[in-house]
Amino acid sequence: MLDIRLKAGLHVAALSIICLFLWLISSAVVALLVFSSALLAYLFSHIFWLNKLLYWFKKPALKEIPQGSGLWEDIFNALLKYERNNHLNQIKLNSALERFNLTANAIPDGLVILGSVNEIEWCTANAENQLGLDLTTDKNLPIVNLIRDSHFIAYLYSEAYNEPLKLKHCRNSDATLEIQVIPLASKQKLLISRDMTQLEKVDVMRRDFIANVSHELRTPLTVVGGFLETLSDMEGAVPDNLKNYFTMMQEQTGRMRRIIEDLLTLSTIENSTGNSNNNEIDMLSLLKSIQNDAIGFSQGLHQDVKNAKHHIRLDADSELNLRGSLEELRSAFTNLVSNAIRYTPTSDAKNSGEILISWHLQDEQAIFSVRDTGIGIEEKHIDRLTERFYRVDRSRSRETGGTGLGLSIVKHILIRHQAKLEITSILGIGSTFSAKFPKARVVKKPAAVK
Ligand code: ADP
């Protein structure tokens, strides 16, 4: 900029010196004439180059940039440099975009970018195939106009995308998709569709296998268990020196039977499609019967320990009921209560053996919880407790008749009721297991008139 100004100043200065010289050697009129014609020529040359620049801007092409002369040579050179950089950046940008498109299209999942009103901004070929979209015609159209599944529409508008949604493949009704929405900055969303058909098939095979094996094992085990019981009941049938082995055999068949029963329960729950039923459950009577069973279970467990017993208390909101499956919920709650009993020692002088079953409403959610003063659980185990056969204390679990499947059953039952299991525990102090049920399952009974 400074260069150009300097050059223009020099031009004007040179012209002024020439005119001054002409004035000295001839007359003022001649000098003025020369000065004004030179200025006119100077002005015309600028108009000429400005016109060229304007013309180039109408059809800007790198090769067509004029050469220019004088001041304009610098301007056109700067323009050429700028355009060359632009051109290089454009090439880099195009190749990055091409690489991004190639990579995105190579991902087996379908990707869709949605705008602030869920209009389609961009999508990959797999998304087009799985969701039945066509970017060339569907761009900027709201996705809910194209995917009309009511569950999908509810999921998209719910803005609660913690869990993925299952959806039928648009071009293959036997295939299942998993839809996950991830909110992006600036109100955009990334929708990921994943073909789950293969995984679902493997999962169905796994569940069928477990259910079939458990079924096949149940009958021979019942027969063996039956014979063992008959023999031990028959006077003199078992020699005294073999009685211990007999008792062990009976215990082990009993254990195997419990594992098989739990495996069958788990596969029945897993194989039941859809949500559990919606019957209103009289929670107070359910919880009272669970409390009574728990007292009996505690006495059975500690028959041999003198004066040892748990204090099992119930604190329930009598006006609060729940919609769901009575059998499933009885099984889930019983599992939590029996765990509290099994993992809460009573012979321990430090331990009072307190177990509190409570049922309350909190922030519109109904909460069933079991608090014990038992052995507690180390923090690192808590996330894994609902895995099948995961046990912190294997020998205690076996001694008290555990199968390692109880919390897994609880988790699946709660999922079917859209509920969540929360576990808090302090090692050596006790644990609290809480099942939180959503508002939609809560029934508030009108208060009884006194
Ligand atoms: P199990 O039949 O072994 O009790 P569960 O699935 O019911 O199997 O529980 C898994 C593990 O979680 C148990 O083995 C135990 O280590 C731990 N656990 C469950 N409930 C409690 C509790 N109330 N207190 C301490 N540990 C518990």
Side-chain angles (χ1 to χ4, degrees):
M1 194 69 178
L2 195 71
D3 263 5
I4 288 178
R5 266 192 267 162
L6 208 69
K7 272 187 190 173
L10 283 175
H11 287 170
V12 175
L15 183 64
S16 310
I17 291 167
I18 292 168
C19 290
L20 213 63
F21 180 70
L22 282 174
W23 193 359
L24 287 177
I25 61 162
S26 59
S27 66
V29 181
V30 173
L32 209 66
L33 219 67
V34 171
F35 186 74
S36 42
S37 350
L39 264 186
L40 218 60
Y42 196 64
L43 188 69
F44 274 123
S45 87
H46 280 311
I47 291 172
F48 171 78
W49 288 118
L50 265 176
N51 199 40
K52 279 247 175 205
L53 183 63
L54 199 68
Y55 184 75
W56 179 84
F57 267 124
K58 284 185 183 155
K59 247 175 135 186
L62 189 62
K63 284 185 192 154
E64 305 286 318
I65 293 181
Q67 290 258 296
S69 66
L71 296 181
W72 285 92
E73 195 179 342
D74 291 349
I75 292 173
F76 286 126
N77 278 345
L79 191 62
L80 185 69
K81 204 168 152 197
Y82 174 78
E83 274 301 297
R84 256 193 211 134
N85 277 344
N86 248 359
H87 187 64
L88 281 177
N89 285 342
Q90 192 68 45
I91 291 175
K92 278 189 200 158
L93 205 69
N94 281 348
S95 84
L97 206 66
E98 202 171 316
R99 257 180 291 142
F100 169 77
N101 269 331
L102 279 175
T103 318
N105 280 311
I107 296 174
D109 297 348
L111 307 176
V112 186
I113 302 270
L114 298 175
S116 54
V117 286
N118 296 323
E119 76 280 16
I120 299 170
E121 288 188 354
W122 171 87
C123 70
T124 59
N126 277 329
E128 288 184 314
N129 176 37
Q130 291 173 352
L131 302 169
L133 307 174
D134 181 351
L135 192 59
T136 44
T137 53
D138 299 340
K139 195 167 176 176
N140 294 328
L141 291 183
I143 195 163
V144 288
N145 287 6
L146 305 157
I147 304 174
R148 291 177 170 270
D149 183 284
S150 58
H151 293 110
F152 173 76
I153 297 173
Y155 176 69
L156 195 65
Y157 288 134
S158 72
E159 311 230 322
Y161 308 126
N162 299 343
E163 296 293 326
L165 170 83
K166 289 223 167 105
L167 195 70
K168 280 270 154 255
H169 195 295
C170 135
R171 293 194 175 136
N172 175 4
S173 56
D174 290 337
T176 313
L177 297 176
E178 190 179 81
I179 304 289
Q180 177 78 64
V181 173
I182 300 168
L184 303 174
S186 64
K187 294 188 177 163
Q188 284 179 309
K189 294 186 191 94
L190 170 66
L191 184 149
I192 305 172
S193 61
R194 180 167 300 160
D195 192 337
M196 300 297 287
T197 320
Q198 260 333 89
L199 276 178
E200 288 243 313
K201 274 189 189 153
V202 174
D203 204 40
V204 169
M205 273 164 62
R206 174 190 64 79
R207 287 195 305 235
D208 284 353
F209 175 76
I210 294 175
N212 290 338
V213 167
S214 314
H215 243 324
E216 293 300 321
L217 287 176
R218 187 153 67 166
T219 320
L221 253 181
T222 314
V223 175
V224 173
F227 279 128
L228 285 174
E229 213 171 303
T230 316
L231 280 174
S232 65
D233 285 350
M234 276 166 66
E235 195 78 16
V238 184
D240 283 351
N241 58 343
L242 294 184
K243 275 205 168 131
N244 267 353
Y245 298 120
F246 244 76
T247 315
M248 274 161 68
M249 280 157 76
Q250 272 181 308
E251 275 170 12
Q252 292 308 317
T253 40
R255 211 180 125 224
M256 277 169 80
R257 221 180 305 157
R258 282 195 302 278
I259 293 177
I260 283 169
E261 291 305 331
D262 275 1
L263 278 173
L264 281 170
T265 309
L266 201 53
S267 44
T268 313
I269 297 166
E270 274 191 322
N271 284 331
S272 347
T273 47
N275 295 335
S276 67
N277 58 35
N278 263 345
N279 298 337
E280 184 178 337
I281 298 167
D282 181 350
M283 283 299 285
L284 195 63
S285 77
L286 172 66
L287 295 177
K288 275 185 180 161
S289 96
I290 289 176
Q291 184 191 24
N292 283 336
D293 292 350
I295 292 168
F297 178 60
S298 162
Q299 278 162 359
L301 207 62
H302 296 287
Q303 267 167 353
D304 42 346
V305 187
K306 222 176 161 197
N307 292 331
K309 64 174 190 258
H310 292 97
H311 300 113
I312 304 168
R313 286 186 299 124
L314 173 65
D315 174 16
D317 179 342
S318 56
E319 280 149 27
L320 188 60
N321 275 350
L322 190 64
R323 289 190 190 286
S325 153
L326 176 65
E327 278 321 303
E328 288 180 14
L329 291 170
R330 177 190 290 278
S331 158
F333 296 160
T334 305
N335 260 307
L336 294 179
V337 176
S338 69
N339 274 358
I341 295 169
R342 287 168 45 228
Y343 297 103
T344 302
T346 49
S347 47
D348 190 338
K350 287 190 297 179
N351 207 305
S352 53
E354 291 293 332
I355 290 164
L356 175 67
I357 304 168
S358 63
W359 172 240
H360 286 294
L361 195 65
Q362 192 184 53
D363 300 334
E364 300 195 316
Q365 288 185 312
I367 304 176
F368 168 85
S369 76
V370 185
R371 196 179 73 204
D372 65 51
T373 50
I375 57 174
I377 308 156
E378 255 184 285
E379 174 83 38
K380 64 177 181 188
H381 297 292
I382 289 182
D383 283 345
R384 301 197 57 194
L385 292 183
T386 54
E387 287 173 23
R388 290 184 178 103
F389 298 113
Y390 189 86
R391 288 133 157 165
V392 179
D393 184 346
R394 195 165 279 270
S395 61
R396 188 178 181 97
S397 161
R398 278 199 194 132
E399 274 166 30
T400 54
T403 60
L405 293 167
L407 290 182
S408 207
I409 294 174
V410 172
K411 182 180 99 175
H412 280 91
I413 292 176
L414 294 189
I415 289 176
R416 279 170 53 70
H417 289 80
Q418 298 81 46
K420 270 194 195 146
L421 179 66
E422 279 183 14
I423 307 169
T424 52
S425 188
I426 302 174
L427 197 63
I429 303 285
S431 315
T432 305
F433 286 71
S434 309
K436 296 193 169 178
F437 293 87
K439 191 179 159 193
R441 293 213 166 255
V442 177
V443 184
K444 198 84 183 99
K445 289 193 291 181
V449 187
K450 286 179 188 163

